[in-house]
Amino acid sequence: MRSRPLRLSGSGIGSFPMDRYLVQGMAYLQVLADGKITVDATTYPLEQCTDAWNAGLGLAPS
C-alpha cells in the first residue's frame, strides 16, 4: 500500500459547518414534534438501568 495513492475522508465534526448541524438538528426535532416520525422507546425505573442498557443489545434482563 505504500506505493498506492490513498486518501481517507470522514464525516465527523468539522466535515461541514456547525451551523448546518444546528439547522438540520432543529429540523429533525421539528419533524419529531410534528409526529411525522416516531421513535420506539421503553422506559425503565432507574434501579433497572442495567436491564435497560442490555435490552438495547438484545440481551435478556438479568
Side-chain angles (χ1 to χ4, degrees):
M1 290 192 44
R2 287 187 243 182
S3 64
R4 299 281 180 210
L6 180 65
R7 179 177 176 199
L8 297 176
S9 62
S11 61
I13 298 294
S15 61
F16 59 91
M18 184 57 69
D19 60 330
R20 285 184 59 196
Y21 277 112
L22 296 175
V23 168
Q24 292 301 311
M26 293 303 292
Y28 183 68
L29 290 175
Q30 188 61 55
V31 170
L32 286 171
D34 292 344
K36 295 177 182 175
I37 294 176
T38 58
V39 177
D40 294 330
T42 304
T43 59
Y44 291 82
L46 183 58
E47 55 273 359
Q48 292 180 1
C49 65
T50 301
D51 294 337
W53 184 270
N54 289 334
L57 299 175
L59 302 175
S62 54

